[in-house]
Amino acid sequence: MSKVVAHMSMSLDGYVADPSDGCEELFGWYGNGEVEVPSNDPRWTFHVSAASAPMLREAFDGCGALVCGRRLFDHTKGWGGNHPTGAPLFVVTHRPIVDWPHPVTFVTDGVASAIEQAKQVAGDKVIAAASTTVVQQCLDLDLLDEIQVNLVPVLMGEGIPFFPNLTRTPVRLTDPEVIAGKGVTHLRYQVEH
């Protein structure tokens, strides 16, 4: 059975993007190393440290479906129809796009429905919860199994926080698995249900 995993780069003070949705300060580690890691889309190849490479390969190869919100979908322009994981995309929205030219499933009846639909296609691979609102709702609905944080050594001061407005707290996590990369520390926590 598939796990639901949140996987994001985050500043030391808890932000996953700046106030304008920019991630430049957080994504430098994707290009600061000597190991080439191709994504499932030929437009994107990453160069990371030897320590970060296995984790990034696992994220690409192990993803069976991706669930995001409409805001992230719009901001990325739907990744041009192909997310770097190559996984089927489920977008939680109240405003589905009727004539979107690429394969995508617009889900209008909530995050729980999107996760359930994603499970139908993911098999035993991971379902990536790929936006802060989706992660928050998954935590509040007790649907999230794992949190992976790529902790970047920068203080942004303001921006979009990873975990805003949780209603079901405290959320208890296991001790982290830790991988020290170059310009990033990868932390993996299991959510205690």
Side-chain angles (χ1 to χ4, degrees), residues 65-85:
L66 187 126
V67 177
C68 74
R70 177 66 187 267
R71 181 171 182 252
L72 179 61
F73 179 82
D74 288 348
H75 177 70
T76 63
K77 298 177 179 60
W79 295 276
N82 190 16
H83 187 272
T85 63

Side-chain angles (χ1 to χ4, degrees), residues 84-173:
T85 63
L89 181 58
F90 295 81
V91 179
V92 181
T93 183
H94 297 294
R95 302 173 290 115
I97 300 172
V98 177
D99 57 351
W100 181 251
H102 307 287
V104 65
T105 301
F106 292 100
V107 181
T108 59
D109 55 346
V111 168
S113 176
I115 296 294
E116 188 56 39
Q117 291 178 55
K119 285 182 178 183
Q120 301 303 314
V121 300
D124 60 355
K125 291 187 171 187
V126 163
I127 297 166
S131 61
T132 58
T133 55
V134 168
V135 170
Q136 174 189 326
Q137 290 177 55
C138 284
L139 283 167
D140 288 341
L141 294 167
D142 198 25
L143 296 174
L144 197 68
D145 299 304
E146 183 174 299
I147 298 171
Q148 296 178 14
V149 177
N150 304 310
L151 190 62
V152 178
V154 64
L155 299 171
M156 294 176 60
E158 63 178 342
I160 298 170
F162 197 168
F163 303 106
N165 308 316
L166 293 175
T167 60
R168 192 185 67 83
T169 56
V171 176
R172 290 188 173 76
L173 309 172

Side-chain angles (χ1 to χ4, degrees), residues 26-92:
L26 301 172
F27 285 1
W29 70 273
Y30 285 112
N32 71 0
E34 63 285 347
V35 180
E36 184 174 284
V37 179
S39 75
N40 290 299
D41 184 318
R43 295 175 292 173
W44 294 301
T45 297
F46 302 95
H47 295 86
V48 298
S49 68
S52 296
M55 181 278 313
L56 190 55
R57 284 189 190 104
E58 177 187 329
F60 290 149
D61 297 339
C63 187
L66 187 126
V67 177
C68 74
R70 177 66 187 267
R71 181 171 182 252
L72 179 61
F73 179 82
D74 288 348
H75 177 70
T76 63
K77 298 177 179 60
W79 295 276
N82 190 16
H83 187 272
T85 63
L89 181 58
F90 295 81
V91 179
V92 181

Side-chain angles (χ1 to χ4, degrees), residues 7-18:
H7 183 157
M8 291 191 199
S9 293
M10 183 181 79
S11 67
L12 190 59
D13 54 348
Y15 297 104
V16 297
D18 67 25

